[in-house]
Amino acid sequence: MRVMVKAIFSVETANKAITDGSLGDTIGSILGDLKPEAVYFGLQEGARTAFVVVDVTNSSEIPSLVEPFFLAFNARVECFPVMVPEDLMAAGPDIGAAVQKYG
């Protein structure tokens, strides 16, 4: 199952990592461990944010996805399932059944 991890870095912690030169190495280490399918960086809520898509086989893997961001960047982290277009197409029959039952 694909999961998106959204990590909003603490401004103070990220600023310190930038000024001491550790930001890139730390992010590189985290991403090396997570082996993401895709990674995007941007701003959310006025702070540096990473959007990381990973494939997990078991929910017990979630701590290994989020803890590095908590510990390294004092980040606020969310984790939620996501789909690619092929996944959405495969879900069509289930969506249709829900429409028939609850729509």
Side-chain angles (χ1 to χ4, degrees), residues 23-89:
L23 181 76
D25 288 342
T26 303
I27 289 175
S29 177
I30 292 169
L31 296 179
D33 291 342
L34 298 184
K35 298 174 183 49
E37 180 178 308
V39 180
Y40 302 94
F41 296 96
L43 294 175
Q44 185 99 50
E45 300 176 25
R48 297 170 188 94
T49 304
F51 301 91
V52 182
V53 179
V54 295
D55 195 20
V56 298
T57 56
N58 193 304
S59 60
S60 65
E61 297 174 62
I62 292 173
S64 69
L65 304 178
V66 300
E67 289 297 334
F69 293 107
F70 287 138
L71 296 167
F73 297 109
N74 194 29
R76 293 188 319 276
V77 181
E78 293 181 47
C79 189
F80 44 92
V82 294
M83 294 184 281
V84 295
E86 294 81 15
D87 297 333
L88 184 59
M89 294 301 290

Side-chain angles (χ1 to χ4, degrees), residues 10-33:
S10 156
V11 172
E12 295 80 14
T13 304
N15 283 350
K16 182 179 181 302
I18 287 170
T19 57
D20 71 16
S22 66
L23 181 76
D25 288 342
T26 303
I27 289 175
S29 177
I30 292 169
L31 296 179
D33 291 342

